[in-house]
Each structure stands twice: as structure tokens, then as C-alpha cells.
Amino acid sequence: MTTTSTTSAPAADWVDPAALAIDPYPTYRRLLDECPVAWVPALNRYLVTSFAGCRAIEEDQETFSAAVSGGGATMARALGAQPMLRKDDPEHAHERRAINPTLRPKSLRERWAPVFERNARAQLEVLRQRGPGDADLNRDYAAPVASQNLVDLLGLRGTGVEDMRRWSHAFIAGTGNLLDDAEIWRRCDAARDEVDTLLDELVPHLREHPDGSITSALAGAGLPASQVAANVKLTIAGGMNEPQHMVTNVVWALSRHPDQRARALADPALWPTVFDETVRWLSPIGMYPRETTRDVVLQDVLLPAGAPVGVVVGAANRDDAAFEHADRFDITRPRLPHLGFGSGTHLCAGHWAARIAIGEIAVPLLYAELPSVRTDPRRAESWDGWVFRGLTALPVTWDA
């Protein structure tokens, strides 16, 4: 990260948060082309959009701390305390170690894959009953499947899929509430109170009666109740949002690339590749924060100590310096590491759960049962967000 020539970060005063929420990719392209490390006044932070810059940040947690402070700590405000994702080692490692056994591929395939398939098959019948003229893939399949999977993984017995979906949306909105919208905080606070009330009763029970769930693992690790609660709420946010959006993102992408859709239908072994390329091309996590602990030079740009930094992995995954024709969706491209699940110490703990539940079960099952499923251009789709981004409505149809 050393260099012989340094400059202050250029000011990208043209970046518009409203435009980012509508479609961030034109802004990402301009930042990548003109100033991959830039100060963005509208967001009061530096944005790093290059693949090399984002990867360098993740490889140096001593300089780029996850324990962000001040106005950048929206996640702590949303969840009530700093979860493991906003901590550095050794604190991060201690909390993460508790849940790692539950989320390893072997455990997921042996214990949880049958649960994931049961949930997907049940909700597929709901989608089918809606019919090809009325079905919405997010409402009728993606969100309920992701929600029920999360209820089961967390061991939140008695929680309905709509409660889980509402909580997740509230926590995601709060975490991404960089503009301090009061109504977003009101919904987030209400969701936090509901989850805390549930956990006040559940956590003491699980300390005495462990059940193999994520909440049980956290409760049995000797963590304070506040940290168990913060990490459960973190899992509610990311554990539903990303898998949900990956179902709709895959169908959206394949509907616009019928040749690649045909390839996947002809060779089911390609589904994990389809999943991985979709994560790269349409990253459900667009940006997450870091804070510098010292003056540092990143790609010839001097960042001062205490600088709020946005690691824009949604842009980095479209960086032509890392991926040939990066703006193209291409399941035949050479397999290269991307940043869709982060990297390094803070690689998403649930990435294998998402790969198995969605990439190996929910999406392949959808196409096996409804091979002609595709987006329905007669009805409007809806996207939302850039810190976290996904389809909130995706009408689909199929050949009856």
C-alpha cells in the first residue's frame, strides 16, 4: 500500500444518493473510471470502488477497522449493540467461533438441507397456486422461503414468516439509513423491541436446553445476552435479505439471458456457477463501512486517520481490472474470486448456507418444477437500495 506519489482524495460531489437507490451501476461505473477512491460529500464518507482497493481493505483490519464509530455506526444503532460484523479480532473471532460449526457445509448438508428443501417445496406450491398470471416471485417464493429457512436456523419457534420478513426489512433499512430518516428508525426500533422481547425468554431457555440452532450456539458460548441479541438480529438482517434477493436475481438475470438459461436447464451441474456469477453481477450487499485507524495511502490516495470509508463491493465486482467485460452476466467466464460475500476475516459467515439453500436447492427446484418460469413484462418489477440491493417485486409467468 506504499507509493511514491500520493494525493488527497478527489471529491465526487456529483454522486446522488437518490440515483444510487434507483440504479447504482451508472454511478459505480463513473467512480471506477474517474476516481476509484473518492470523497463523497453527500454521504460524508470516502467510497472505494475498485476491486484492488476493496480487497486491500479486507486484508488489513488493523488499518481499516470494522468497529466504525460516530455517525457511520448505523448497524449498532439499528441492532441495539455492535454485532460481530462490526468488531475486529480477537472479539470478532470469539463471537464468530460460536456459530461456525452450525454453518459448515457438512453440518448444513446433513442437518439443514432437508429442512431447506421442505420449505422450498411447500412454498413452491403457493407460487404454483397463484398461477402464471398473478405470481410474484419475491412475495410468493423467495421471501417466504428465505424467511422460513431463517426461522428454522435461528430456532425461533412460533415466529411467522411475515414477522421475520418485517424484522429483516426494518433492520436492513436501519443499517443502510445513512441519511438518518426518522421513519426508518421508528420501524427499526419497533422491530428491535419485538425481537429483544422474544430473546429475553428464549436465550435463558437455550442456555439450559441447547437445540443446535444458531441462537442456541450463541447462547451457549458464554456471551452476554446483549451480544447474543445483536448477533441474532444481524443474522435476521443478512440471513434473509441476501438469500431472498439471490432467488429473484437469478431468475431476473436468466430471463434476460435466454441462452445461458438454456445452458443451465440442460446441465443442472451449472446451478452453483449460475448462483456465483449472479452474486458477482448483482451483489445483494452493495457497500459496508470501515474506519481508518491511522493515516494510510490506498491506491495513491491519502486517507486520514479516523476516515469513514465505504467498501463498495457492488462496484468492485464490476471492475474491469478484475473481471473481463465485468458489466456482462456470463456463467461461462473463468472462475475468479469475487467480493459478493466479503473476504478475509469478515467473509460472510452464512455464505455456505446461502449457496446450499438457494444455489443448490431453492433455485434448481424452481426450474425443475417450472422450467419455463421467467419474468413477466406485463407487470412492473421493483428494485430498492444500494447499500443492500434487491428486487422487492418480481412478477413471473410460465407456460401453463
Side-chain angles (χ1 to χ4, degrees):
M1 242 183 278
T2 60
T3 183
T4 57
S5 175
T6 64
T7 63
S8 298
D13 54 8
W14 49 267
V15 172
D16 179 4
L20 283 168
I22 295 169
D23 180 1
Y25 290 105
T27 299
Y28 292 167
R29 175 52 51 200
R30 184 173 172 185
L31 286 168
L32 281 165
D33 291 344
E34 297 181 6
C35 44
V37 180
W39 170 252
V40 179
L43 300 173
N44 197 35
R45 70 182 57 229
Y46 297 88
L47 290 189
V48 179
T49 50
S50 68
F51 188 91
C54 291
R55 172 62 66 84
I57 289 170
E58 282 305 303
E59 290 176 350
D60 186 1
Q61 65 170 323
E62 291 185 1
T63 301
F64 298 95
S65 174
V68 296
S69 61
T74 53
M75 180 171 283
R77 167 72 174 82
L79 305 185
Q82 290 283 20
M84 68 181 79
L85 193 61
R86 290 293 175 263
K87 296 181 179 180
D88 300 316
D89 289 342
E91 292 82 3
H92 165 265
H94 173 65
E95 295 184 24
R96 177 152 174 169
R97 196 175 298 120
I99 63 172
N100 280 342
T102 304
L103 295 174
R104 289 185 181 127
K106 186 174 186 291
S107 174
L108 288 163
R109 288 200 168 94
E110 289 181 353
R111 174 168 186 160
W112 294 106
V115 175
F116 297 154
E117 182 173 351
R118 179 198 68 202
N119 293 342
R121 287 192 179 279
Q123 203 58 40
L124 186 60
E125 289 309 305
V126 175
L127 180 74
R128 202 193 306 266
Q129 289 167 18
R130 282 281 189 177
D134 185 51
D136 183 294
L137 190 65
N138 184 61
R139 178 194 66 202
D140 303 325
Y141 188 66
V145 167
S147 180
Q148 188 60 58
N149 285 349
L150 197 53
V151 168
D152 294 330
L153 274 170
L154 284 168
L156 302 183
R157 294 182 297 274
T159 298
V161 294
E162 287 303 317
D163 286 332
M164 182 63 73
R165 179 158 60 174
R166 179 169 51 82
W167 295 339
S168 181
H169 288 175
F171 294 147
I172 285 292
T175 299
N177 192 18
L178 302 179
L179 301 181
D180 207 29
D181 185 293
E183 177 58 23
I184 288 176
W185 287 133
R186 186 195 67 76
R187 293 195 300 269
C188 187
D189 291 347
R192 190 178 68 236
D193 289 345
E194 290 178 41
V195 175
D196 284 343
T197 298
L198 172 66
L199 293 176
D200 284 345
E201 181 177 342
L202 180 61
V203 169
H205 172 79
L206 290 175
R207 292 195 200 277
E208 299 295 327
H209 307 282
D211 64 3
S213 67
I214 291 174
T215 306
S216 178
L218 289 166
L223 301 176
S226 62
Q227 287 309 122
V228 174
N231 286 312
V232 168
K233 285 175 280 192
L234 171 68
T235 308
I236 289 172
M240 178 180 166
N241 201 64
E242 295 162 56
Q244 167 189 347
H245 291 325
M246 282 309 303
V247 175
T248 50
N249 286 357
V250 168
V251 173
W252 190 89
L254 291 182
S255 295
R256 281 149 184 79
H257 300 85
D259 56 333
Q260 299 187 59
R261 177 176 169 275
R263 279 177 178 263
L265 289 174
D267 182 4
L270 288 174
W271 285 121
T273 302
V274 172
F275 176 87
D276 216 49
E277 172 65 355
T278 307
V279 174
R280 182 200 68 82
W281 192 58
L282 297 171
S283 303
I285 302 174
M287 186 276 285
Y288 48 84
R290 291 291 183 265
E291 185 174 295
T292 56
T293 60
R294 62 180 179 87
D295 291 356
V296 61
V297 175
L298 180 67
Q299 295 197 298
D300 299 338
V301 173
L302 176 63
L303 300 176
V309 177
V311 186
V312 192
V313 294
N317 283 338
R318 298 279 194 103
D319 187 349
D320 288 321
F323 306 96
E324 187 175 2
H325 304 301
D327 282 329
R328 296 182 187 174
F329 176 77
D330 182 5
I331 64 173
T332 69
R333 72 171 61 249
R335 183 75 177 270
L336 293 170
H338 59 71
L339 300 176
F341 291 107
S343 67
T345 299
H346 290 91
L347 176 71
C348 176
H351 74 101
W352 273 111
R355 291 178 188 279
I356 292 169
I358 305 306
E360 297 181 15
I361 296 175
V363 168
L365 180 63
L366 172 66
Y367 279 98
E369 296 293 321
L370 298 173
S372 61
V373 69
R374 58 196 182 275
T375 57
D376 187 347
R378 299 168 298 181
R379 293 177 286 149
E381 65 191 32
S382 176
W383 291 84
D384 184 58
W386 70 279
V387 174
F388 299 91
R389 181 166 179 79
L391 283 147
T392 56
L394 185 63
V396 291
T397 189
W398 59 87
D399 300 334

